[in-house]
Amino acid sequence: MKGLYLVTDRDLCGDRSLEDVVLRSVKGGARYVQIREKDQSTRAFIEEALSIKEILEPFSIPLIINDRVDVALAVKADGVHVGQADMPYKMARSLMGPGAIIGLSVETWEDVEEAEALDCDYIGVSPVFETPTKTDTKGAWGLDGLARIRAFSRHRLVAIGGLNESNAADVAAAGADCLAVVSAICAAPDPEAASRELAGIIADARGRTDRV
Amino acid sequence: MKGLYLVTDRDLCGDRSLEDVVLRSVKGGARYVQIREKDQSTRAFIEEALSIKEILEPFSIPLIINDRVDVALAVKADGVHVGQADMPYKMARSLMGPGAIIGLSVETWEDVEEAEALDCDYIGVSPVFETPTKTDTKGAWGLDGLARIRAFSRHRLVAIGGLNESNAADVAAAGADCLAVVSAICAAPDPEAASRELAGIIADARGRTDRV
């Protein structure tokens, strides 16, 4: 996994539909899309996921569902992202099967160590910076924390939390394989342009890192 | 399916644990237990379901999970109960398999008609009476509505909503196979005695109905 990873927040989309924001972000260069919903009914979540899946399929962009393995199974999503308060990783793997993408958030160093024993597809370093869109976490990792995890972990790293155009290069340089972005895309006046800029920053930073 | 069906509400249990209330209700005669949780994390819901499952197994009482097919699959519950805003019935059946107990709430006459085409294990007539524990429904069926569904539907009927000692006999007489009870057990000073009384009322009413 490499590149820009969109995590949705319907409330931030304003008067645009989530489908519209997702489509524009993918056209701008997002390589992964995770739908995160906490307040919708299961049925509404499933309908939304089916609708986003249809948008992503022509682009071969994986659809990842936050937390809800039931929704992921119902819509045959490509994967799930689970946090430390969601379904335990091994149960999720068992239900989703060996081919699914499963990401796991790490919020403490203990989480990072425990993840070494798991065959997750990535760990979500969450949050890198403090962010108003997710308030149930245990404190930000910072660039130092991200670099420390990079030096320790065998897993691919998806950085999330407060990422935007101003810090994306530093985050990529600190070792993130993917940058997961919420408000800097969902709340952007032009989600396609914002995604293009972010994807470009990540590609440039990776180019530099690879040369080092 | 016949008899008393406990649907849990942790908030109503006061300073007793949900496990304690479930155990006492089962000792008093509850034949089915459905765990309903709307505000817990997925992980907490799974842990609770595993704990309740352990309590029920010695009694061979089926464990049914409200809405969350992911939780049901994770803990290998016996079934799920889905409402009209939850996972569509056919998806739930496909994920849970042919052997699972799947109940479906009907809130309108259209729901009742649609359920005729489905192989659900029961329909939940919801709510029979107005109730403060569930406020997202479309109006109470009443005893007349329940009797009308009984006359029309091929399915077993689980009545829910405002059921207690004072109306249980009438509800059973109107055609309910099972009486699903929330607050009259969870909030009862003695859940075992309350369950015993309700189970007795249902058995007596059924005896009378069967003689007619």
Side-chain angles (χ1 to χ4, degrees):
Chain A
M1 298 183 69
K2 290 275 178 193
L4 180 63
Y5 182 141
L6 170 66
V7 177
T8 67
D9 184 323
R10 220 161 16 107
D11 292 341
L12 293 177
C13 295
D15 53 6
R16 302 166 298 193
S17 70
L18 185 60
E19 285 82 353
D20 182 48
V21 169
V22 167
L23 177 61
R24 294 210 247 164
S25 177
V26 164
K27 284 184 174 170
R31 303 270 301 270
Y32 304 88
V33 173
Q34 177 189 137
I35 314 183
R36 186 157 77 187
E37 290 291 347
K38 290 293 178 193
D39 303 317
Q40 285 205 96
S41 71
T42 300
R43 184 159 306 185
F45 195 170
I46 287 172
E47 282 164 6
E48 181 181 285
L50 286 171
S51 158
I52 301 289
K53 192 185 180 199
E54 203 172 335
I55 290 168
L56 298 183
E57 267 169 353
F59 297 90
S60 300
I61 300 285
L63 172 64
I64 295 167
I65 303 291
N66 184 279
D67 179 13
R68 297 290 298 268
V69 170
D70 50 349
V71 173
L73 291 171
V75 308
K76 299 183 170 63
D78 299 283
V80 290
H81 181 91
V82 288
Q84 297 291 327
D86 300 336
M87 186 181 291
Y89 172 79
K90 288 180 183 179
M91 283 180 170
R93 174 60 71 192
S94 162
L95 293 174
M96 294 291 295
I101 298 170
I102 308 188
L104 173 66
S105 288
V106 293
E107 295 179 7
T108 65
W109 189 256
E110 197 182 8
D111 297 341
V112 175
E113 290 184 340
E114 285 175 3
E116 284 297 281
L118 306 174
D119 61 345
C120 52
D121 295 278
Y122 67 85
I123 56 178
V125 178
S126 169
V128 176
F129 304 115
E130 295 294 348
T131 159
T133 63
K134 195 143 169 37
T135 54
D136 58 346
T137 52
K138 292 170 186 158
W141 285 104
L143 292 171
D144 289 351
L146 175 60
R148 191 173 160 224
I149 296 173
R150 174 66 299 156
F152 174 82
S153 177
R154 67 189 182 96
H155 292 301
R156 290 186 190 275
L157 305 187
V158 175
I160 188 167
L163 308 195
N164 57 44
E165 291 82 350
S166 72
N167 56 33
D170 292 338
V171 171
D177 298 289
C178 270
L179 271 64
V181 173
V182 189
S183 54
I185 294 174
C186 293
D190 184 339
E192 182 170 342
S195 299
R196 186 166 291 119
E197 186 178 353
L198 285 160
I201 294 170
I202 299 168
D204 287 350
R206 231 172 43 221
R208 277 199 301 279
T209 310
D210 292 348
R211 279 197 300 276
V212 171
Chain B
M1 296 183 71
K2 291 276 179 193
L4 180 63
Y5 183 142
L6 170 66
V7 177
T8 67
D9 184 323
R10 218 159 20 106
D11 292 343
L12 293 177
C13 294
D15 54 7
R16 302 165 299 191
S17 69
L18 185 59
E19 286 81 353
D20 181 48
V21 170
V22 167
L23 176 61
R24 293 209 247 166
S25 178
V26 164
K27 284 185 174 170
R31 303 269 302 270
Y32 305 88
V33 173
Q34 177 189 137
I35 313 183
R36 186 157 77 186
E37 289 291 346
K38 290 293 177 195
D39 303 316
Q40 285 205 99
S41 71
T42 300
R43 183 158 309 184
F45 195 169
I46 287 172
E47 281 164 7
E48 181 180 285
L50 286 171
S51 157
I52 301 288
K53 191 185 181 202
E54 203 172 336
I55 290 167
L56 298 182
E57 268 169 353
F59 298 89
S60 300
I61 300 285
L63 172 64
I64 295 167
I65 303 292
N66 184 278
D67 179 14
R68 297 291 299 268
V69 170
D70 50 349
V71 174
L73 292 170
V75 308
K76 299 184 170 59
D78 300 283
V80 289
H81 180 91
V82 288
Q84 297 290 328
D86 300 336
M87 186 182 291
Y89 173 79
K90 288 180 183 179
M91 282 180 172
R93 174 60 71 193
S94 161
L95 293 175
M96 293 290 296
I101 297 170
I102 308 188
L104 173 67
S105 287
V106 293
E107 294 179 7
T108 66
W109 190 255
E110 196 182 9
D111 297 341
V112 175
E113 290 183 338
E114 285 175 4
E116 284 298 281
L118 305 174
D119 61 345
C120 52
D121 295 277
Y122 67 84
I123 56 178
V125 179
S126 170
V128 176
F129 304 115
E130 296 293 350
T131 159
T133 63
K134 195 142 169 36
T135 54
D136 57 346
T137 53
K138 291 168 186 161
W141 285 103
L143 292 171
D144 289 352
L146 175 60
R148 191 172 160 225
I149 296 172
R150 175 66 299 155
F152 173 83
S153 177
R154 68 189 181 97
H155 291 301
R156 290 188 189 274
L157 305 186
V158 175
I160 188 167
L163 307 195
N164 55 44
E165 292 81 351
S166 72
N167 56 33
D170 292 339
V171 171
D177 297 290
C178 271
L179 271 65
V181 173
V182 189
S183 55
I185 295 174
C186 293
D190 184 339
E192 182 171 342
S195 299
R196 186 166 290 119
E197 185 179 352
L198 285 159
I201 294 170
I202 299 168
D204 286 351
R206 235 177 35 228
R208 278 200 301 279
T209 311
D210 291 348
R211 278 198 300 278
V212 170

